[in-house]
Amino acid sequence: MMKFIRMLPFILFTILALLFGVALVNGQSANRSALTNEKIPSFSLRSFSRPNALFQSSEMQKPSLLVFWASWCGICKTELPALSQFAQKNNIPLYGIAYRDNHQALLTTMYQMQHQVKFTDMGLDQTGEVGAKYGLTGVPTTIVIARDGSIARVKSGAMTERELKNEILPVMR
């Protein structure tokens, strides 16, 4: 009995770790958000792509992809070319929001990626206000916008080719 009592903390820790692991894996695969099936939150940002213009949620084509990213995010710079290529190949508008970014750093990054990444439009969310409306927890985050203007999927972290093909493309068609 004494041996069991000494092992009890280890057993409880192991059970809790397993439960946490299962919850984490299930949460990542579901890519759920409180905004799923809701209309996209409205925003108006200065357009980075079109000088002296606004990038407004109301002008976004549907269906489309909206990616929150930043020039300081290494994963973003790796993911964006593949996401852009996917969008172009499947004739899906790709919109970007540079999240809490520096304008000069963004200019440099966009210049470096100009032949790899094509946005339909892009805005700069320096304050993070738009990111907060979308419940952003980090970048990159891709929002899949359905034909009716609702949010079909939210994916935090980099997209894999498999996710694009098997989970995102069917929603866009």
Side-chain angles (χ1 to χ4, degrees):
M1 182 70 165
M2 193 62 128
K3 202 174 194 179
F4 176 74
I5 291 173
R6 277 190 264 166
M7 292 294 292
L8 191 58
F10 175 74
I11 293 168
L12 289 174
F13 174 79
T14 303
I15 291 170
L16 287 174
L18 286 171
L19 290 173
F20 178 75
V22 168
L24 186 62
V25 168
N26 285 340
Q28 285 179 342
S29 64
N31 293 321
R32 291 192 181 102
S33 166
L35 295 175
T36 302
N37 297 322
E38 298 292 326
K39 292 288 182 189
I40 60 172
S42 63
F43 63 82
S44 181
L45 295 169
R46 187 173 65 120
S47 175
F48 192 83
S49 309
R50 299 173 293 137
N52 303 320
L54 292 175
F55 170 37
Q56 299 182 66
S57 55
S58 61
E59 296 175 351
M60 292 171 50
Q61 299 173 41
K62 293 142 191 102
S64 60
L65 296 173
L66 173 64
V67 62
F68 284 86
W69 71 286
S71 66
W72 45 260
C73 169
I75 295 171
C76 298
K77 291 190 274 190
T78 302
E79 175 197 45
L80 277 175
L83 193 58
S84 180
Q85 184 179 19
F86 168 82
Q88 288 178 22
K89 178 181 173 186
N90 293 287
N91 200 29
I92 299 168
L94 175 64
Y95 297 95
I97 295 182
Y99 178 72
R100 293 189 179 259
D101 217 327
N102 172 285
H103 191 268
Q104 190 57 47
L106 189 57
L107 275 173
T108 301
T109 301
M110 288 305 297
Y111 178 77
Q112 292 168 345
M113 296 190 318
Q114 67 182 328
H115 299 294
Q116 301 169 304
V117 178
K118 303 286 186 221
F119 287 111
T120 303
D121 204 350
M122 185 179 76
L124 177 57
D125 183 17
Q126 287 181 307
T127 65
E129 185 178 325
V130 175
K133 284 183 173 185
Y134 281 79
L136 200 65
T137 58
V139 292
T141 295
T142 304
I143 312 288
V144 180
I145 302 168
R147 288 191 185 286
D148 65 0
S150 66
I151 295 176
R153 299 258 195 294
V154 176
K155 168 63 167 128
S156 295
M159 285 276 203
T160 65
E161 279 190 49
R162 184 184 150 280
E163 288 173 313
L164 288 169
K165 182 180 176 187
N166 298 334
E167 296 175 26
I168 305 307
L169 193 56
V171 173
M172 307 305 288
R173 302 268 164 158

